[in-house]
Amino acid sequence: MSVPVPHTAMVLAAGFGTRMRPLTDEIPKSLIAVAGKRLIDRMLDPLAAAGVKRAIVNVHYLPEQVEAHLAARTDLEIVISDERGEVLETGGALAKARPLLGDDPVFVINTDAFWAPESGAPLVALADAFDPEHADALLMVADTGRCLGFDGAGDFFLGEDHRMVRRGDANSAPWAYAGARIIKPELYDAEPVERFSALRVWDRLIAERRLMGWPLDRFWLHVGDPGALKDAEMWLRCHGE
């Protein structure tokens, strides 16, 4: 059983972008342009194309710049989740925004990676694949052999039933979290508003066999530092994106 494309997305845009310095000394990472298009728009545009109507965007570092940029968008209702007091990471951000999320499944989106060619189709596929009877969260995962800018050893193994297992002590794993997921907001009902990673929730779901993954069917570009930014721009030029 799939679900309709979520009405709401949580977009994570509060980070300092430390690895992207010095570019982020005066601009938040989510507003860095890749081949003329800002990172946050490279994810907001696919969300709008997929049918999402409302984006909750968390802000902390240089928040006024993010708010001013988002004010120009008319295709999505933008709601700001204000983390000026303390950046709460990928888990705490959802705990703080929980009252804004509603009770239906929502997308959760990072702003340091995107796919090409750009479209909303991977998000529609993620919603189609999400079965809330068998999973509480479905992560979009990228093939580590079909990506650029990801220098890690991989994050997950993916079973034939699409259930996820962390890499653990293995030297490598074939799948990396691609920065998009669909979740039941109720996962964060009992979580405190404090600084913590979403991994805390994922590990609980793995133990309960309630975390699943869905392969991204596009090329994935992770933009984590200035070198990866240059590589992404070169790749986009070479592929006419």
Side-chain angles (χ1 to χ4, degrees):
M1 184 184 72
S2 62
V3 298
V5 170
H7 176 274
T8 296
M10 175 81 190
V11 179
L12 302 173
F16 292 100
T18 303
R19 292 181 62 211
M20 192 61 84
R21 288 176 178 163
L23 300 179
T24 49
D25 286 346
E26 297 181 355
I27 187 173
K29 184 177 179 180
S30 63
L31 295 188
I32 286 176
V34 184
K37 187 169 185 176
R38 298 180 190 270
L39 278 168
I40 196 168
D41 292 324
R42 287 191 174 274
M43 289 310 302
L44 287 175
D45 286 354
L47 285 168
V52 172
K53 304 300 183 186
R54 181 170 170 263
I56 299 162
V57 183
N58 70 331
V59 297
H60 174 79
Y61 178 60
L62 302 176
E64 294 83 6
Q65 292 187 36
V66 179
E67 290 173 327
H69 177 74
L70 294 175
R73 294 196 69 110
T74 58
D75 54 345
L76 291 163
E77 177 191 355
I78 302 293
V79 179
I80 297 297
S81 180
D82 195 329
E83 295 179 19
R84 282 171 170 82
E86 180 186 11
V87 66
L88 296 169
E89 294 191 17
T90 54
L94 283 156
K96 180 177 176 63
R98 176 64 187 97
L100 303 172
L101 298 177
D103 295 322
D104 295 327
V106 300
F107 287 126
V108 182
I109 304 293
N110 291 359
T111 53
D112 58 358
F114 57 95
W115 52 78
E118 180 183 296
S119 83
L123 294 166
V124 174
L126 194 68
D128 285 344
F130 182 53
D131 183 351
E133 292 187 3
H134 294 95
D136 296 320
L138 179 67
L139 277 56
M140 184 184 293
V141 291
D143 182 343
T144 56
R146 193 186 179 193
C147 68
L148 185 68
F150 179 77
D151 56 5
D155 302 318
F156 295 102
F157 294 99
L158 187 62
E160 291 184 3
D161 59 357
H162 289 274
R163 300 197 187 278
M164 306 286 282
V165 178
R166 292 272 298 275
R167 175 169 56 88
D169 295 330
N171 291 329
S172 64
W175 299 102
Y177 174 54
R181 62 191 190 268
I182 185 169
I183 69 164
K184 295 178 180 177
E186 66 200 52
L187 286 173
Y188 289 84
D189 283 354
E191 294 291 344
V193 179
E194 63 184 20
R195 188 170 183 168
F196 72 94
S197 167
L199 288 173
R200 186 162 89 188
V201 174
W202 295 358
D203 284 342
R204 184 180 78 237
L205 295 182
I206 288 172
E208 297 170 353
R209 294 179 55 78
R210 299 286 296 179
L211 183 72
M212 301 181 78
W214 189 255
L216 171 66
D217 66 348
R218 306 288 170 99
F219 193 80
W220 184 58
L221 298 101
H222 183 265
V223 186
D225 56 42
L229 172 60
K230 291 179 181 178
D231 290 344
E233 290 185 322
M234 182 177 295
W235 190 93
L236 291 167
R237 284 196 300 270
C238 290
H239 292 80
E241 297 290 337

